[in-house]
Amino acid sequence: HHPCHSVDFCVFGWMGSDIISTVEFNHTGELLATGDKGGRVVIFQREQESKNQPHRRGEYNVYSTFQSHEPEFDYLKSLEIEEKINKIRWLPQQNAAYFLLSTNDKTVKLWKVSERDKRPEGYNLKDEDGRLRDPSMITMLRVPVLRPMDLMVEATPRRVFANAHTYHINSISVNSDYETYMSADDLRINLWNFEITNQSFNIVDIKPANMEELTEVITAAEFHPHHCNTFVYSSSKGTIRLCDMRASALCDRHSKFFEEPEDPSNRSFFSEIISSISDVKFSHSGRYIMTRDYLTVKVWDLNMENRPIETYQVHDYLRSKLCSLYENDCIFDKFECVWNGSDSVIMTGSYNNFFRMFDRNTKRDVTLEASRENSKPRAILKPRKVCVGGKRRKDEISVDSLDFSKKILHTAWHPSENIIAVAATNNLYIFQDKVN
């Protein structure tokens, strides 16, 4: 059974109070974090399987909610700094607590999320409310005891990595050594050690001496999943650079450069805008990279730089609509893309709350819709079809009636199972393969 045949809506549509700006499963898939425009992080935890309710398996419930970033004001530049969470990245779990990185445009924070279900009682110098006891009344030594209490999930900021970016941070990526991570903005990429907050190491700087000569910006960056010295970054010119930190401290000279020559027959006024890469992701195997531009998803083999090995059309019917998409600014939307756990299927979003899945083996693809109407639990998601001109079949939707205000920019795939999370504006949908 395969996610491209039929997908079964299993869990829920969760309605947030603000626009969801990022979604990310942790390394086991037990937790799912979302960040929103209001600077909040909401973490969902997967329910354990229970004997009396086997059908509730896989249900995700709210585990912890906390305010990660606050709105700020940069007095030197007279700029407001939004609290919106741009990205969340989990660290692999090493003890009972969970750690995650969250970032807005300027500041990365490391959060610790931990559980407390006991509280100490019977202190010597304080009473139960924390007030100091009168020393003259203390006549005997008490041994504090741990009493059970209702489970509390606490989120505490452990590190704040600030003041290292002049431009807006678009990516953070945890290195496979788990000691360092990088943060990327439009022109620079910085390498941080988790233990050191007051300095970072600049590993890429594409800022020209004269800003008027600026021709491209960095759009996304990610570490290789297994080699701690290797990372990639994509650009607004549609190129991808693979860098090796062993080669030199400042990775201004890439070791590989991936670019597809442009097809002259497709050349248009919008060619440069739509070739900008909005997301880049290594496959779990580390052998491929996937990139998303405005109309396509491409898969590149690390050993072949001159063209992608696979190209998937996400919504080719929009090619004739680029003019109006430019006018309503949609052409600048930044769609993300994700691999499934075995790198055999890729998923990315589109408009009208549609999202697309491409099966790399069978070459089948499907369009699905995340909306309130079909979010009854156990409902099967019906594939959607978009028709361009001519006669419309009854189950098809015309390209002219697509709603461009409803867009799926952020999705996530469970690391080992066919469970996906899809953010549609301020709604989160979790879909699960029927087999479970």
Side-chain angles (χ1 to χ4, degrees):
H1 183 82
H2 221 274
C4 285
H5 302 187
S6 72
V7 173
D8 170 9
F9 183 96
C10 175
V11 196
F12 56 67
W14 175 78
M15 181 126 179
S17 52
D18 218 324
I19 293 171
I20 298 172
S21 50
T22 183
V23 266
E24 191 78 11
F25 280 101
N26 75 340
H27 293 254
T28 61
E30 286 303 301
L31 300 181
L32 171 68
T34 66
D36 71 21
K37 210 167 160 7
R40 249 183 324 279
V41 172
V42 179
I43 301 175
F44 300 86
Q45 183 181 44
R46 193 178 188 186
E47 288 300 309
Q48 297 305 310
E49 203 163 358
S50 65
K51 294 274 188 293
N52 49 1
Q53 293 175 306
H55 66 275
R56 288 175 65 105
R57 160 125 177 84
E59 203 161 306
Y60 283 80
N61 292 319
V62 175
Y63 176 65
S64 173
T65 305
F66 59 93
Q67 189 71 30
S68 171
H69 287 68
E70 306 281 353
E72 292 174 63
F73 192 78
D74 181 336
Y75 292 98
L76 290 174
K77 298 197 179 71
S78 293
L79 280 179
E80 281 191 62
I81 300 168
E82 274 194 298
E83 64 271 42
K84 172 181 164 235
I85 309 291
N86 292 344
K87 286 284 187 294
I88 289 172
R89 290 289 178 263
W90 290 92
L91 277 67
Q93 193 178 356
Q94 289 171 340
N95 52 26
Y98 301 99
F99 287 88
L100 61 87
L101 286 174
S102 64
T103 185
N104 68 348
D105 285 341
K106 295 288 179 195
T107 304
V108 184
K109 295 184 180 181
L110 174 68
W111 288 89
K112 176 185 182 179
V113 181
S114 52
E115 294 183 359
R116 279 228 321 248
D117 60 356
K118 293 185 179 62
R119 66 163 184 266
E121 276 182 12
Y123 286 113
N124 286 288
L125 303 178
K126 294 181 177 153
D127 61 21
E128 303 320 320
D129 302 327
R131 289 188 299 266
L132 284 172
R133 291 171 68 198
D134 176 0
S136 64
M137 303 297 289
I138 301 174
T139 55
M140 54 185 269
L141 189 63
R142 295 202 288 193
V143 179
V145 289
L146 285 173
R147 296 245 183 274
M149 62 174 226
D150 290 342
L151 179 70
M152 260 178 56
V153 181
E154 297 179 308
T156 44
R158 296 310 299 267
R159 303 268 188 284
V160 176
F161 305 90
N163 307 323
H165 285 277
T166 313
Y167 307 96
H168 293 344
I169 298 172
N170 56 46
S171 305
I172 47 178
S173 179
V174 177
N175 199 345
S176 58
D177 62 13
Y178 305 142
E179 290 176 14
T180 55
Y181 76 90
M182 68 176 167
S183 55
D185 67 24
D186 292 348
L187 298 181
R188 297 193 180 103
I189 301 176
N190 293 331
L191 182 69
W192 300 84
N193 186 303
F194 278 110
E195 300 301 320
I196 302 167
T197 58
N198 58 356
Q199 66 181 106
S200 61
F201 192 77
N202 180 234
I203 50 175
V204 172
D205 186 348
I206 65 165
K207 186 180 179 189
N210 175 5
M211 278 297 270
E212 282 166 19
E213 291 165 13
L214 182 68
T215 58
E216 66 179 327
V217 293
I218 298 166
T219 55
E222 191 180 56
F223 270 118
H224 189 285
H226 318 303
H227 304 313
C228 60
N229 50 280
T230 311
F231 66 93
V232 290
Y233 70 91
S234 57
S235 88
S236 55
K237 274 194 164 170
T239 63
I240 309 109
R241 290 172 175 83
L242 181 85
C243 303
D244 187 337
M245 292 190 288
R246 292 172 304 187
S248 78
L250 190 62
C251 301
D252 285 352
R253 289 192 300 277
H254 48 267
S255 36
K256 291 193 176 185
F257 181 76
F258 300 85
E259 183 177 30
E260 183 169 32
E262 191 186 26
D263 175 2
S265 64
N266 270 338
R267 179 97 190 122
S268 79
F269 172 74
F270 304 106
S271 293
E272 284 185 20
I273 302 175
I274 64 172
S275 67
S276 176
I277 293 174
S278 53
D279 196 16
V280 60
K281 291 266 174 39
F282 272 102
S283 62
H284 295 82
S285 67
R287 168 146 184 208
Y288 304 102
I289 34 182
M290 162 168 57
T291 58
R292 170 74 209 256
D293 57 40
Y294 191 62
L295 294 177
T296 67
V297 173
K298 294 173 181 172
V299 175
W300 306 75
D301 188 316
L302 282 193
N303 302 318
M304 192 164 99
E305 297 169 58
N306 58 343
R307 62 191 166 86
I309 55 168
E310 297 155 32
T311 299
Y312 300 98
Q313 300 297 334
V314 178
H315 37 217
D316 204 45
Y317 45 78
L318 296 183
R319 216 174 266 280
S320 59
K321 296 251 174 290
L322 293 176
C323 224
S324 52
L325 290 162
Y326 177 77
E327 281 163 11
N328 66 13
D329 270 357
C330 283
I331 202 167
F332 301 108
D333 284 335
K334 293 177 170 51
F335 291 97
E336 295 167 9
C337 52
V338 290
W339 302 87
N340 72 339
S342 60
D343 299 332
S344 60
V345 183
I346 55 190
M347 171 172 61
T348 191
S350 178
Y351 293 103
N352 207 64
N353 278 352
F354 288 170
F355 58 99
R356 304 269 284 138
M357 285 185 179
F358 303 96
D359 186 313
R360 298 179 58 211
N361 302 323
T362 65
K363 300 299 178 213
R364 289 163 70 155
D365 66 278
V366 67
T367 302
L368 299 167
E369 181 182 1
S371 71
R372 281 256 168 246
E373 288 70 71
N374 55 21
S375 66
K376 316 242 179 328
R378 321 302 300 159
I380 294 222
L381 279 185
K382 293 183 185 60
R384 305 298 307 254
K385 288 261 191 306
V386 177
C387 76
V388 190
K391 284 180 91 75
R392 183 167 72 89
R393 293 203 185 89
K394 69 170 178 7
D395 56 342
E396 290 184 334
I397 179 165
S398 155
V399 68
D400 295 314
S401 57
L402 294 174
D403 185 343
F404 291 107
S405 67
K406 294 180 174 165
K407 47 192 95 164
I408 306 281
L409 302 176
H410 316 287
T411 61
W413 203 306
H414 187 288
S416 55
E417 295 179 46
N418 281 333
I419 298 175
I420 57 172
V422 175
T425 322
N426 62 335
N427 294 300
L428 177 73
Y429 296 96
I430 298 182
F431 301 98
Q432 177 166 326
D433 201 338
K434 215 161 77 209
V435 168
N436 294 328

